[in-house]
Amino acid sequence: MEAPIPMSLLLRFLFLCPLAVIQAGLPTLSEFEEQAEEFGVRLSLPEFPADEEGVAARIDEVIAGYTAVGDEIAALADGERTFENTVGALDGLEALSWNRLSAVNILENASPEAALREVAQRELLRFEEFAVSFGYREDIYRSVRAYAETEPVLELDQKRLLNEVLVGYRQQGFELRPEKRAQVEALKKELSRATNDFSRNIRESSATVILTAEELRGVPENLLAKLKTGQDEYTVQAQIAWQLLGVLQNARSEEVRREVYVARSTHAMELNVPVLTEMVLLRTRIANLLGYPTWADYKTESRMAGSEQVVREFLSELNEGLAPKFEEELAVLRQLKVRETGQADAQVEMWDVPYFRNVLQNQQFQIDQEALRAYFPYEPTLEGMFAVYEEIFGLEIRQMENPNPWHPEVTLYGVIDSETGKPMGLFYLDMFPREGKYNHFAQFGIIGGKLGADGIYQRPTVALICNFPPPSSDEPSLLSFDNVETLFHEFGHVMHSVLTEARYASHACTSVPRDFVEMPSQVLEYWVTDKATLDTFAADYRDSSQKIPEEVLENLQAAELATVGIHYRRQINYALVDLLLHTYAAPEQVTDVALVGNRVAENVYLPPPEGTAYVAGFGHLTHYDAGYYGYAWADVISADLADYFESSEKGFLNPELGRRLRHEILAKGDSRSPRDSIRAFLGRDYSITPFLKKIGVEAPTEAP
């Protein structure tokens, strides 16, 4: 007879995966595939390598596929070249890498097996080094260039793709002499290794602080229960967002808040400060060789901003415009600290901001963030969010059997167009933290959208890998209001991917300019501020008849406005650090990267704790390099789109506008310019006025 399952473990399992406990009644992939065939589309799940040998074999397979296609392109004679067998073939390689390598990427970031994570990281680096060399194949470049010189008549998305390929070749140095181009290639391989090391160090380093119950006075009991690791011992992993914020927002001891904040700000510091220095040096040298003034100019050339100067001016104007509000807000928090500590000269420090914002919300706006969690149990919130997206975009979201999860807690869903029954794609959810797992919140692309040569459209498959507060033995996972915003935001990326209709993989899903990629997700965060939307799912898990009172939501919005200057100055701090680290004109100008980060923070936001280097844990510096400004940039656009919804007769739950957003922006991807997609949705260019209104800043003139 089997040993009985302890009740605490059974409750945890039920809270964690109530929809996945019994798979028998769920639709299967084969059933969904049959439905897809009726509409001329294809659905696919990734094949996850089972062991280290399988990972290496997968990389070998992809490299062989690349080499074969590259050889075919290079062998084309004059008169044989077409769009599809040159530029289209390169786009097919984009799809191949997405569809075959993504499973290895998932294992690197989410496999419960350390050995598998390690080999996945190593093998992906091997592919990246191959990909750099492949991109420098002169024979392939000559074939594509020869095709372009025939000046073919192309459709809009084909013109865009051809231009992007040619710009890509120029940015790789194909207009340079061979010896200089070889230098760029070698440096890019070094950069690939460095960025991989930087990400791995963040993912695998811990920022552990062990505390007592007395030291954690003020932290809610439900959070303490999740942190408890011994008799009067509580272990805080400061690199995990929900643990970090839970302590910073609630711990009454300033010393404890400081200790936890310092742990987070020194996370991976010893390993990553030298790695980041190497990354900045390599990027600067590459930009120099390619003839760009700075790496930031190199990166922004193909973005909406178009140049480093435009970004710098945008951030500078926003920073200066927020200055009076920022100072006023800091003064309010300082008075709260003076009152609590009895010290007339008390100053607000970085580790104080979450705590005194929480105090302000409680005292002035009567908002109890911890009490709000009761309205957002994970499972009903997830299902409620699904219903909202179903309503506005015209969809059905169904859970399915998950035949090959990388972890038992991972669930699988299908998305269907509600009007036609056409399957649109698949997505995985991996929502709670565990050791060795990617420790933030992100969508991971797995299989991209693309029209195949056989006329069948490959629908996308993606994954959300998140770290929401897990359930405990006696209650479900309860999300904070910020968590709910994050959930809506990240699922917005899923919608952006799954609803694509772009013909080419290079334009599909979230393959859009870096300073536009966050916009669709950021506009969808606004649904969480709408009473009518929240009432469709937010209810006290102990009494579902209890909804969030209107005055609480009004107070939430007032509280956000009360500290929005602090929020955006913090964002500008990150954006400026990112920009400044990538605006060196020569390698010899590169200075102490940690010092640069700390000085920017001191001038724009608040002084960091002495001896820390938060840039060492700033993961966006790997692939958002000179691009973090995109969050604020996208906020300007998303505020206008959200205002368009809110001012409509049906408000945020307007299915007509929802479908227009779906078809004119999400479905288009990068098959046309983002500005054209925005005009198609709004009927005009976007305006900065709604954003300035949102943050309580009046604009003297209308900005372009």
Side-chain angles (χ1 to χ4, degrees):
M1 153 176 203
E2 294 182 352
I5 301 174
M7 182 57 67
S8 61
L9 292 181
L10 180 60
L11 285 170
R12 171 177 165 78
F13 182 62
L14 290 171
F15 281 140
L16 192 59
C17 293
L19 295 181
V21 173
I22 300 176
Q23 293 259 335
L26 297 176
T28 64
L29 178 63
S30 60
E31 292 169 345
F32 208 29
E33 287 173 328
E34 290 175 9
Q35 189 175 347
E37 287 177 7
E38 298 174 14
F39 292 90
V41 299
R42 181 181 293 112
L43 294 164
S44 304
L45 289 179
E47 298 174 15
F48 293 103
D51 50 32
E52 298 177 28
E53 291 75 16
V55 172
R58 175 68 54 84
I59 301 303
D60 290 339
E61 170 200 334
V62 174
I63 288 174
Y66 262 69
T67 302
V69 172
D71 291 345
E72 290 173 4
I73 297 172
L76 293 168
D78 292 343
E80 293 181 343
R81 300 182 185 94
T82 65
F83 183 88
E84 290 304 331
N85 66 20
T86 55
V87 178
L90 290 175
D91 182 73
L93 291 177
E94 175 88 4
L96 173 66
S97 63
W98 203 342
N99 298 358
R100 301 298 288 161
L101 294 175
S102 57
V104 181
N105 187 40
I106 292 291
L107 293 180
E108 179 193 6
N109 285 280
S111 171
E113 299 178 32
L116 208 51
R117 295 195 302 270
E118 182 178 346
V119 74
Q121 193 271 339
R122 186 179 69 242
E123 290 297 315
L124 283 173
L125 177 58
R126 178 163 70 93
F127 170 77
E128 288 174 15
E129 291 181 350
F130 161 80
V132 172
S133 297
F134 182 87
Y136 279 94
R137 280 187 57 170
E138 179 81 29
D139 52 354
I140 297 174
Y141 167 71
R142 283 199 304 267
S143 189
V144 174
R145 169 58 71 181
Y147 169 72
E149 288 173 352
T150 66
E151 299 183 357
V153 177
L154 301 174
E155 297 177 41
L156 175 62
D157 59 345
Q158 293 175 323
K159 288 179 182 178
R160 282 180 66 81
L161 186 53
L162 175 58
N163 181 66
E164 289 161 6
V165 169
L166 294 176
V167 169
Y169 274 121
R170 177 168 55 77
Q171 289 197 330
Q172 287 175 219
F174 273 86
E175 295 180 2
L176 301 176
R177 296 191 307 274
E179 61 272 18
K180 274 199 170 184
R181 191 191 313 160
Q183 290 179 50
V184 175
E185 178 182 355
L187 290 172
K188 285 196 171 186
K189 288 181 178 178
E190 290 183 48
L191 179 59
S192 178
R193 287 191 290 270
T195 54
N196 271 278
D197 288 345
F198 191 84
S199 296
R200 186 191 67 246
N201 291 340
I202 292 174
R203 186 174 62 250
E204 295 184 355
S205 299
S206 63
T208 303
V209 182
I210 298 176
L211 300 161
T212 66
E214 175 58 28
E215 288 173 318
L216 287 170
R217 193 163 51 92
V219 175
E221 287 296 327
N222 63 339
L223 177 55
L224 287 175
K226 294 181 174 73
L227 302 177
K228 190 175 179 65
T229 52
Q231 183 66 31
D232 197 26
E233 177 186 278
Y234 299 84
T235 302
V236 179
Q237 299 288 346
Q239 79 276 12
I240 297 176
W242 67 268
Q243 296 189 27
L244 173 71
L245 289 175
V247 174
L248 291 182
Q249 290 172 347
N250 296 287
R252 294 177 188 168
S253 166
E254 179 176 357
E255 181 53 40
V256 166
R257 297 196 302 271
R258 185 184 189 284
E259 184 178 359
V260 171
Y261 194 90
V262 166
R264 178 64 182 86
S265 300
T266 54
H267 178 221
M269 183 174 73
E270 291 185 8
L271 293 171
N272 267 356
V273 167
V275 176
L276 179 57
T277 302
E278 182 185 8
M279 288 161 54
V280 173
L281 284 167
L282 289 167
R283 286 167 175 166
T284 304
R285 291 175 64 190
I286 293 168
N288 287 173
L289 286 167
L290 292 172
Y292 290 89
T294 68
W295 181 264
D297 288 292
Y298 165 71
K299 294 297 285 188
T300 55
E301 180 183 30
S302 56
R303 295 177 182 159
M304 288 184 72
S307 73
E308 180 272 334
Q309 182 180 350
V310 170
V311 176
R312 186 185 294 268
E313 290 173 355
F314 168 72
L315 293 174
S316 177
E317 290 172 9
L318 187 57
N319 186 51
E320 292 175 12
L322 283 167
K325 187 162 181 27
F326 175 68
E327 295 299 335
E328 290 170 9
E329 293 171 7
L330 272 186
V332 171
L333 297 192
R334 195 181 83 81
Q335 286 305 311
L336 291 174
K337 186 172 182 180
V338 167
R339 192 180 310 157
E340 180 166 307
T341 64
Q343 299 172 355
D345 60 347
Q347 298 298 317
V348 175
E349 307 289 354
M350 277 188 166
W351 53 85
D352 290 325
V353 172
Y355 177 77
F356 286 107
R357 284 179 71 180
N358 201 22
V359 170
L360 180 68
Q361 290 177 346
N362 274 282
Q363 293 184 2
Q364 183 170 333
F365 301 103
Q366 291 79 54
I367 298 170
D368 184 342
Q369 289 285 0
E370 288 304 311
L372 268 177
R373 289 179 184 272
Y375 294 97
F376 299 113
Y378 167 75
E379 199 67 50
T381 301
L382 181 71
E383 293 296 328
M385 180 191 67
F386 287 168
V388 169
Y389 281 99
E390 288 174 328
E391 170 70 16
I392 62 173
F393 291 138
L395 304 170
E396 294 178 26
I397 299 173
R398 301 176 185 169
Q399 190 180 1
M400 303 174 57
E401 280 189 18
N402 190 357
N404 187 22
W406 58 87
H407 188 275
E409 294 175 358
V410 177
T411 49
L412 177 67
Y413 295 81
V415 180
I416 303 165
D417 182 89
S418 60
E419 294 181 8
T420 65
K422 174 183 174 181
M424 300 303 296
L426 300 160
F427 65 89
Y428 293 98
L429 296 183
D430 185 353
M431 306 298 268
F432 300 104
R434 59 181 175 270
E435 185 177 355
K437 177 186 166 184
Y438 171 81
N439 59 20
H440 201 53
F441 304 84
Q443 180 210 253
F444 286 68
I446 297 179
I447 294 172
K450 179 176 171 60
L451 181 64
D454 57 3
I456 297 176
Y457 195 96
Q458 173 66 61
R459 298 306 310 171
T461 299
V462 299
L464 273 193
I465 298 183
C466 299
N467 288 274
F468 292 112
S472 64
S473 60
D474 55 357
E475 69 177 10
S477 166
L478 299 176
L479 306 184
S480 68
F481 192 79
D482 286 346
N483 288 155
V484 180
E485 286 185 321
T486 297
L487 181 62
F488 269 71
H489 175 102
E490 297 302 338
F491 197 72
H493 287 306
V494 173
M495 292 288 95
H496 196 178
S497 291
V498 169
L499 298 179
T500 190
E501 297 288 355
R503 177 164 36 167
Y504 298 105
S506 303
H507 293 155
C509 305
T510 56
S511 295
V512 296
R514 181 64 72 184
D515 48 8
F516 187 68
V517 72
E518 297 296 338
M519 193 287 293
S521 286
Q522 285 176 229
V523 71
L524 292 164
E525 290 182 33
Y526 281 87
W527 272 247
V528 180
T529 67
D530 178 55
K531 170 71 171 169
T533 301
L534 287 177
D535 279 352
T536 64
F537 67 87
D540 193 314
Y541 77 102
R542 298 157 300 193
D543 179 359
S544 60
S545 67
Q546 297 299 311
K547 300 289 187 178
I548 301 176
E550 177 74 43
E551 60 269 22
V552 171
L553 291 177
E554 291 174 354
N555 286 343
L556 271 171
Q557 293 184 33
E560 180 185 4
L561 186 61
T563 57
V564 73
I566 291 173
H567 167 76
Y568 275 104
R569 285 290 283 261
R570 182 171 178 266
Q571 288 295 95
I572 293 167
N573 162 50
Y574 286 128
L576 277 174
V577 168
D578 172 41
L579 192 67
L580 289 176
L581 288 175
H582 297 109
T583 51
Y584 293 110
E588 56 268 21
Q589 294 179 0
V590 176
T591 55
D592 185 335
V593 294
L595 184 62
V596 170
N598 289 350
R599 282 183 173 172
V600 171
E602 185 173 357
N603 287 315
V604 174
Y605 184 53
L606 290 167
E610 189 174 345
T612 63
Y614 72 91
V615 292
F618 188 8
H620 288 76
L621 292 173
T622 55
H623 299 297
Y624 268 69
D625 44 305
Y628 195 86
Y629 75 91
Y631 284 98
W633 184 276
D635 263 346
V636 169
I637 304 172
S638 62
D640 195 0
L641 270 63
D643 184 68
Y644 198 61
F645 269 94
E646 189 173 18
S647 59
S648 71
E649 184 178 349
K650 296 181 180 178
F652 284 104
L653 295 176
N654 186 327
E656 179 184 347
L657 288 186
R659 282 156 179 76
R660 194 193 305 176
L661 178 65
R662 168 182 168 179
H663 294 295
E664 297 294 354
I665 293 181
L666 304 184
K668 296 297 182 185
D670 199 35
S671 61
R672 67 181 177 195
S673 79
R675 292 183 188 275
D676 287 343
S677 292
I678 293 165
R679 290 188 193 102
F681 176 78
L682 291 174
R684 56 172 172 79
D685 289 330
Y686 68 87
S687 164
I688 198 173
T689 301
F691 173 73
L692 296 173
K693 178 183 175 183
K694 171 199 167 191
I695 65 176
V697 175
E698 187 174 345
T701 58
E702 175 66 9

